[in-house]
Structures are given as structure tokens and as C-alpha cells.
Amino acid sequence: MNSEKLIALSDKYGAKNYLPLPIVIAEAEGVWVKDPEGNKYLDCLSSYSALNQGHRHKRVIDALVDQAGRCTLTSRAFHNDQLGPFLKLITEVCGMDMALPMNTGAEAVETAIKAVRKWGYTKKGVPLDQAEIIVFDDNFHGRTVSVISFSTEDAYKKYFGPFTPGFKAVPYGDIEALKKAVTKNTVAIMGEPIQGEAGVVEPAAGFYQEVRKVCDENNIVMVADEIQTGLGRTGKMFCMEHYGVKPDMYILGKALGAGVLPISAVVSSEEVLGVFTPGEHGSTFGGNPLACRVAIEAIEVLRDENLVANSCDLGKYFMDLLKTIDSPHIESLRGRGLLIGIVLKESSNGARRFCEALKDRGLLCKETHDHVIRFAPPLIITKEEIDWCFSRIKDVLENVE
Ligand SMILES: *Cc1c(COP(=O)(O)O)cnc(C)c1O
């Protein structure tokens, strides 16, 4: 079937909760994808940073196939031989004590909320059902009802209430507002080190160092949602390292499964994750041996291929090239490593038409929040491929009216 027919099919039979660019991806390898007509495109979105290792990394696929030939699912009613090694590896990478595996990012965020609430009631002495979690304006932590309950984005919430109580949002980067929001019932402060969905937004310098202090002084769990920024995307293993801050809990997902299978995890101290007892929380597929095996390989690929360093070096190289573009549309450039946003001017009529023009030149990316073009290629990208991207971006930004 050709692209046109395939798009018509999903338009006719699918709910319209997305507005994809008009391209069908039928095959993929590394940084490249192909449509059914055989046209090639370079993937500069990486499925929102779930493909840090590139499409179908050979080692990950080999591990997947091998594990598929052994055992795929046991449920947590029984042990399996991949879960323990995965937990050991991910806790070492995070420098923490324990991990709890789930499947999607939003599920891991829900798990984090349950963990810090129970910690609050059983360890901090917060009166039952009074726990408060502080989050930031323009946050993105997923799409479940409790998670959208603390979104500040109308489009994510309208018509989906009633919502889960127990959350307060304060302006991102405003340390005074944060301090005012803290009460004796605050159990956690949760944020993204860089807000990806909000348009690659970094808080004011020194903000997360201050958050760390507020957490230490008030016995609050500092939670970093590194689902998008973690695992090398910003040029460090975790984006919080740029600020010299170690949170009390990491939430991971996306690239943890190398774009092959969904797997997510909450990683924290024994003090916090140790609060769960059997039967209180779970997931049928969470911790399944197929996903654990894939995640082990996904992490080892990051390490063995120095993808964190590549993200750092090529991110700088890419950013320096972008700075040379002379375009009336560019308001500013922001980001770290290979997470880069080009912020367009109000007068430029939105980022989407630029993404469409880039698609027509063989480069795939996606607008975020109307006026930001986000670039997040797989971390395996080469310098030559960045040059290839750059010439197309320059052409579009300098020549599209
Ligand atoms: C993508 C994302 C999520 C949600 O992950 P899903 O797997 O889509 O549920 C949560 N937090 C951040 C920061 C994300 O980028």
C-alpha cells in the first residue's frame, strides 16, 4: 500500500489525538528511515528521544531475538533471570539503591507519586491523605489522569477532569515561589531538568542547586523526571549532572528500551523505594525478561559506543553551526547536547510549516509548542550527518518566506 492510502486508513479508523506530519515510515536503520515509496529521511526527532541508540541497533535487536527464543514474560508472580541483572545495572548507572520497573513513562511517574506519598506518610509523618507534591508550570510528565491533574496546559486537561488533588505548580525557575509553596506536608518536588515538551526550556542558572537545598532543609524527596533528558540526550548521562545536582529519585523511560520495547523505571534510595510491600503496586508486564534484556543492552550500547560523549561533542558542533544561520525567523537557540530547540519569532507563523519544508528536503523533526523546532537525532549520529542536516536547516530557515 502507498503512503497516501496508509494515511487515509489511519485517518479513517484512528482517533485523532495526534496530527502527524504526512509521512509514513516503513523501514528504519540507525539515523535513517524510509517511506513505502523508498524515499529516505534522516530522523531528527528520535521518537521524542526514545531512540538514542538509533533505530534497530544491531546489538539490541540481537539481544531481543535471543531473549525471544528463551523467555518473554513471567509476570512478577515468579522471578526471571533478566530482572536482577537489569536492576543491578540501572541502580549502578544512577548511583542509587533500588529500582522499580514499569513499562511507560507515565506509569513510572505514577509509581514515583505513590512512592513519595507513602514515604511521606510512613517516614516523614505527614497526616494521611495530606501529602503535597510541588511541580512546575509548563511541566510534561505524561498523559494519565493523575499526571495531567498537575499539568498547566489547557490542551492536556480540558474535558478530562475531575482531577487528582495533592499537587501545586509554581513557575519554573522561581525559587522564591517554590519556597513559599513548601509546607510541612510537602513530600516531593518533581521537575524536568530541561522541559522538553514545553519547548526545550532550561530554568534560570542555579535553580536546581537551590531546589536541592530546599529539599535537604525540609526533608523533601527531590524527583528528577529524566525520561526525555536522561541516558545521554543532553551530553551527560543525566541532565541534572550539568547542574552538579544529584536528585533523590530518577524517573527513566524512553531510550531505556532503545526504541525497541517500552520499559521505564523509578530509581531511588532504599529509604524511599523501600516503602513498598508486596501487593501494594505492580504491573503485569513491568520487569518482563524481554524488556529487561533489551534495556541491559540499551545501556551497554550507550557506554560501549561513548554515546554520551558523542552527544556532548556533536551537540556543541551542531549548535555552533546553527548559530551561523542568518534567518529573519530565528528568535533564539537553546538546549544542551543533542537536545536543541530553535525558537522562532511570533511573526514566523509557527514552526510546523518549517518542519514540513524540512521533511520535503529529507529531514524529519517536529514542532513543539507552536513556535519551537526541536532537534533530537539519535546519539549515534556522525559529524557528516550533522553537516547534512545543517545544510537543509540553513536552506529552509534562510529561504522559506
Ligand atoms: C515522554 C515523557 C513522559 C511520558 O512518557 P510516556 O512513555 O509517553 O508515558 C514523561 N515525562 C517526560 C519528561 C517525557 O518526556
Side-chain angles (χ1 to χ4, degrees), residues 329-330 342-358 366-374 396-397 400-401:
H329 300 298
I330 299 181
I342 299 184
V343 186
L344 302 179
K345 294 201 172 125
E346 289 285 330
S347 55
S348 295
N349 273 322
R352 187 168 176 105
R353 63 197 190 94
F354 294 93
C355 295
E356 284 169 356
L358 285 166
K366 190 74 168 45
E367 77 278 8
T368 165
H369 274 241
D370 294 351
H371 64 289
V372 181
I373 313 175
R374 170 175 36 190
V396 164
L397 284 166
V400 170
E401 290 279 295

Side-chain angles (χ1 to χ4, degrees), residues 181-216:
V182 169
T183 73
K184 60 186 191 329
N185 293 338
T186 305
V187 295
I189 298 172
M190 176 166 72
E192 302 149 85
I194 292 176
Q195 293 182 327
E197 294 318 294
V200 192
V201 181
E202 203 172 297
F207 178 64
Y208 274 111
Q209 287 94 316
E210 291 293 322
V211 173
R212 180 69 272 177
K213 265 192 224 155
V214 170
C215 288
D216 290 339

Side-chain angles (χ1 to χ4, degrees), residues 104-107 109 140-142 192 197 225 227-228 254:
T104 65
E107 281 179 319
V109 173
F140 181 82
H141 298 283
E192 302 149 85
E197 294 318 294
D225 180 346
I227 291 170
Q228 183 162 161
K254 294 202 164 109

Side-chain angles (χ1 to χ4, degrees), residues 255-399:
L256 192 56
V260 170
L261 284 179
I263 176 167
S264 62
V266 177
V267 193
S268 187
S269 58
E270 161 116 51
E271 153 97 6
V272 179
L273 270 185
V275 298
F276 285 117
T277 56
E280 283 183 345
H281 187 55
S283 162
T284 304
F285 283 85
N288 74 75
L290 194 59
C292 287
R293 177 80 185 272
V294 161
I296 291 169
E297 208 63 31
I299 294 165
E300 284 177 352
V301 163
L302 284 178
R303 280 181 168 172
D304 294 348
E305 299 189 7
N306 295 315
L307 296 185
V308 181
N310 201 52
S311 173
C312 178
D313 297 345
L314 289 186
K316 283 198 190 99
Y317 178 72
F318 198 1
M319 188 63 107
D320 285 343
L321 285 176
L322 293 174
K323 282 179 188 156
T324 67
I325 295 178
D326 181 19
S327 164
H329 300 298
I330 299 181
E331 170 84 35
S332 63
L333 296 168
R334 56 196 186 202
R336 286 181 187 256
L338 285 171
L339 180 60
I340 293 176
I342 299 184
V343 186
L344 302 179
K345 294 201 172 125
E346 289 285 330
S347 55
S348 295
N349 273 322
R352 187 168 176 105
R353 63 197 190 94
F354 294 93
C355 295
E356 284 169 356
L358 285 166
K359 188 212 79 169
D360 293 339
R361 288 161 178 77
L363 191 154
L364 298 183
C365 61
K366 190 74 168 45
E367 77 278 8
T368 165
H369 274 241
D370 294 351
H371 64 289
V372 181
I373 313 175
R374 170 175 36 190
F375 295 104
L379 310 184
I380 57 164
I381 195 167
T382 63
K383 198 159 172 261
E384 291 68 34
E385 287 160 342
I386 297 267
D387 290 337
W388 187 97
C389 293
F390 171 68
S391 67
R392 278 144 187 89
I393 297 165
K394 180 179 163 73
D395 175 33
V396 164
L397 284 166
E398 292 183 353
N399 297 316

